[in-house]
């Protein structure tokens, strides 16, 4: 699938209104179908004979009262429930960061719950308009009214489930687990089982291409751009990667030789948006987890246990990465390099995971100790020498921060012992 289409689909998933709108349309169609079945007598009983029907068996006045009650109660419950939800999410965004609200708006379960409430309301209205009393050529759609009762019961069950889901969803551990799952999926998608081609030759830079648009680079259609470069016999060197913000007019690529239609090809291959996307950005979930930890370490919240939990989850991600390889960003066609793009390397990934947390946790013995424990476990799993060097660098930075900021001799001695344990495991790994 084209990367621009995938980026568009991901953006579409951020639209909180989409699924509720589809459910409302489905309920409108269902209500109209139920009325038509009874009008055409396909349902198997007389529409004007309530005593012969199963389900709702009342008259027109009762049907109007019931449908009015269903419509007014469901729209009221929907408004009250989601106003409480917004208040809860506002409090959660202050603790975990506003960028994590995207995870709540993308949650299909929240969207479906709103759709059920609004769909029941729409269903009741579309059926209510067909109820006629004796003075108006009597007609009572018993099948459709019975459907309204079933939807009302479904709304009651949805309300109970939704309150539980929101209460659990704003829990910081639940949020960290959800973002950690996204990070694990990103590692699975964006890493390789075997090392790929690496560029070791100097890259000529003769032609420069300015950015066709401004904003966050969300996706690069690598295959189409590589095919275009191979067709024209040039080497394209990108200077930006997914997740970077690109200002207007910034030179985003170099060509080994000038090509006339290069700007058009680049504009087709690069997808920009108003916000970063997780589609091709391996560090997207890492930044979200780091933000949770940094906010937890702020003086206003002062929750080192959450920061320690985030560190544990980041360590798990590094352990999952140990048997896999990061892409080199080099694309070849028929044995010739045609595209080179910047990618996340192991050092950059570790920096994104640990730098900000360590800087904000310099005075927190609990978090520094957890970081040393996590690094010890990761270095025991990791087998590549260059990666172990990066892990050792971060362990040295942790103990250096502890020596600067930790004043209690017993705490510092404990951290020194953990660092020595890391050195011992690193030497034998």
């Amino acid at each position: 699938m084209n990367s621009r289409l995938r980026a568009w689909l991901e953006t579409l998933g951020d639209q909180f209104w989409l699924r509720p709108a589809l459910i409302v349309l489905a309920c409108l169609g269902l209500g109209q179908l139920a009325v038509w079945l009874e009008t055409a007598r396909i349902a198997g009983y007389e529409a004007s004979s309530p005593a012969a029907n199963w389900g709702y068996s009342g008259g027109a006045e009762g049907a109007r009262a019931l449908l009015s009650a269903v419509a007014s109660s469901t729209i009221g419950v929907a408004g009250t429930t989601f106003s409480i939800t917004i208040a809860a999410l506002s409090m959660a965004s202050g603790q975990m960061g506003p960028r994590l609200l995207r995870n709540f708006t993308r949650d299909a379960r929240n969207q479906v719950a709103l759709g059920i409430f609004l769909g029941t309301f729409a269903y009741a209205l579309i059926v209510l308009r067909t109820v006629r009393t004796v003075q108006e050529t009597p007609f009572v759609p018993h099948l459709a009214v019975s459907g309204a009762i079933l939807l009302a019961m479904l709304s009651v069950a949805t309300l109970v489930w939704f309150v539980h889901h929101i209460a659990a969803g704003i829990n910081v551990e639940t949020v960290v687990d959800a973002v950690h799952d996204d990070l694990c999926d990103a590692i699975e998608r964006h890493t390789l089982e075997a090392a790929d081609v690496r560029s070791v030759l100097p890259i000529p830079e003769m032609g420069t291409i300015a950015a066709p648009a401004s904003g966050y680079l969300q996706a690069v259609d690598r295959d189409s751009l590589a095919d275009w470069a191979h067709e024209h016999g040039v080497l394209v060197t990108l200077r930006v990667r997914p997740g970077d913000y690109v200002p207007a007019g910034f030179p985003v690529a170099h060509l080994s030789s000038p090509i006339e239609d290069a700007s058009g090809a680049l504009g087709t291959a690069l997808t920009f948006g108003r916000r970063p996307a997780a589609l091709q950005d391996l560090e997207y979930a890492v930044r979200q987890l780091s933000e949770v930890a940094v906010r937890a370490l702020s003086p206003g919240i002062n929750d080192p246990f959450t920061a320690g939990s985030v560190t544990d989850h980041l360590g798990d991600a590094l352990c999952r990465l140990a048997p896999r390889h990061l892409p080199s960003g080099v694309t070849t066609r028929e044995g010739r390099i045609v595209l080179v793009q910047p990618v996340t390397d192991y050092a950059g990934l570790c920096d994104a995971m640990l730098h900000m947390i360590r800087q904000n946790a310099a005075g927190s013995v609990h978090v520094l100790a957890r970081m040393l424990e996590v690094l010890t476990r990761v270095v025991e799993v990791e087998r590549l020498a260059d990666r172990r060097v990066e892990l050792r660098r971060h362990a040295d930075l942790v103990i250096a921060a502890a020596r600067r900021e930790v004043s209690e001799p017993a705490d510092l001695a404990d951290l020194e012992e953990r660092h020595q344990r890391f050195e011992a495991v690193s030497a034998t790994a």
Side-chain angles (χ1 to χ4, degrees):
M1 186 186 299
N2 184 276
S3 61
R4 177 162 296 184
L5 177 59
R6 292 199 299 267
W8 179 78
L9 290 176
E10 181 172 340
T11 303
L12 200 62
D14 292 339
Q15 309 304 316
F16 191 69
W17 56 268
L18 181 60
R19 286 189 178 90
L22 294 176
I23 293 175
V24 168
L25 291 176
C27 287
L28 288 174
L30 181 63
Q32 190 64 35
L33 176 64
V35 172
W36 176 79
L37 287 175
E38 196 153 355
T39 304
R41 300 184 180 180
I42 297 177
Y45 45 76
E46 294 288 339
S48 60
S49 178
N53 295 328
W54 54 271
Y56 176 76
S57 58
E61 294 297 334
R64 282 183 171 177
L66 189 149
L67 292 171
S68 299
V70 169
S72 59
S73 60
T74 53
I75 197 66
V77 168
T80 303
T81 301
F82 278 85
S83 62
I84 296 174
T85 302
I86 291 174
L89 293 182
S90 299
M91 295 177 59
S93 68
Q95 180 181 1
M96 293 176 285
R99 276 158 292 278
L100 282 172
L101 290 181
R102 175 180 181 269
N103 295 344
F104 292 98
T105 58
R106 284 183 62 88
D107 192 342
R109 292 167 291 186
N110 295 338
Q111 299 176 13
V112 169
L114 176 61
I116 289 174
F117 290 133
L118 298 182
T120 302
F121 169 76
Y123 179 94
L125 284 186
I126 201 69
V127 175
L128 181 60
R129 68 183 180 85
T130 65
V131 178
R132 296 190 296 270
T133 59
V134 177
Q135 293 81 8
E136 308 168 313
T137 311
F139 175 73
V140 180
H142 298 88
L143 179 63
V145 175
S146 300
I149 296 174
L150 292 177
L151 286 177
M153 296 299 103
L154 177 62
S155 297
V156 171
T158 301
L159 175 62
V160 175
W161 169 84
F162 183 73
V163 171
H164 165 76
H165 174 65
I166 285 296
I170 62 176
N171 181 280
V172 65
E173 290 295 339
T174 304
V175 174
V176 169
D177 286 339
V179 181
H180 172 254
D181 291 340
D182 293 340
L183 176 56
C184 293
D185 292 340
I187 290 175
E188 189 70 23
R189 292 196 313 270
H190 301 316
T191 58
L192 309 172
E193 295 182 358
D196 60 353
V197 179
R198 295 191 177 274
S199 176
V200 296
L201 299 176
I203 300 173
E205 301 175 356
M206 298 185 60
T208 300
I209 308 175
S214 63
Y216 287 97
L217 181 60
Q218 295 180 335
V220 177
D221 193 346
R222 185 181 62 180
D223 292 334
S224 66
L225 188 58
D227 291 339
W228 177 87
H230 177 65
E231 179 183 350
H232 290 79
V234 296
L235 170 63
V236 179
T237 306
L238 292 179
R239 300 183 60 199
V240 293
R241 62 181 181 180
D244 290 345
Y245 184 84
V246 181
F250 180 78
V252 295
H254 293 299
L255 299 182
S256 58
S257 60
I259 301 293
E260 290 186 1
D261 61 339
S263 297
L266 201 68
T268 303
L270 304 184
T271 302
F272 293 90
R274 293 180 295 176
R275 60 182 63 87
L279 180 62
Q280 295 182 359
D281 187 3
L282 180 57
E283 297 183 10
Y284 185 88
V286 172
R287 292 192 294 270
Q288 287 186 322
L289 286 174
S290 297
E291 182 175 2
V292 173
V294 169
R295 282 181 172 268
L297 292 170
S298 64
I301 298 176
N302 192 21
D303 182 13
F305 297 101
T306 295
S309 176
V310 170
T311 304
D312 289 337
H313 286 80
L314 292 174
D316 175 75
L318 288 176
C319 289
R320 292 173 183 266
L321 183 61
R324 302 185 65 84
H325 297 268
L326 292 168
S328 64
V330 176
T331 305
T332 61
R333 290 291 186 271
E334 297 181 0
R336 186 175 68 86
I337 297 177
V338 295
L339 175 63
V340 178
Q341 58 185 114
V343 293
T344 300
D345 58 6
Y346 193 80
L349 191 62
C350 290
D351 289 346
M353 288 182 174
L354 302 174
H355 264 335
M356 292 187 65
I357 300 177
R358 187 194 67 253
Q359 291 166 0
N360 287 269
S364 175
V365 177
H366 173 76
V367 178
L368 294 178
R370 292 287 282 274
M371 292 185 75
L372 288 174
E373 288 180 4
V374 166
L375 289 170
T376 302
R377 293 167 183 169
V378 175
V379 79
E380 188 174 355
V381 174
E382 187 59 64
R383 290 292 177 265
L384 297 179
D386 56 339
R387 293 185 179 182
R388 291 202 300 269
V389 170
E390 290 299 325
L391 296 173
R392 187 177 300 110
R393 177 172 67 91
H394 279 280
D396 293 340
L397 289 172
V398 171
I399 196 62
R403 290 166 180 165
R404 268 194 325 268
E405 302 292 338
V406 177
S407 57
E408 184 66 34
D411 292 336
L412 184 57
D414 177 66
L415 292 173
E416 291 279 5
E417 182 181 350
R418 294 175 188 272
H419 183 256
Q420 292 173 4
R421 189 181 308 127
F422 169 86
E423 292 288 351
V425 173
S426 177
T428 59

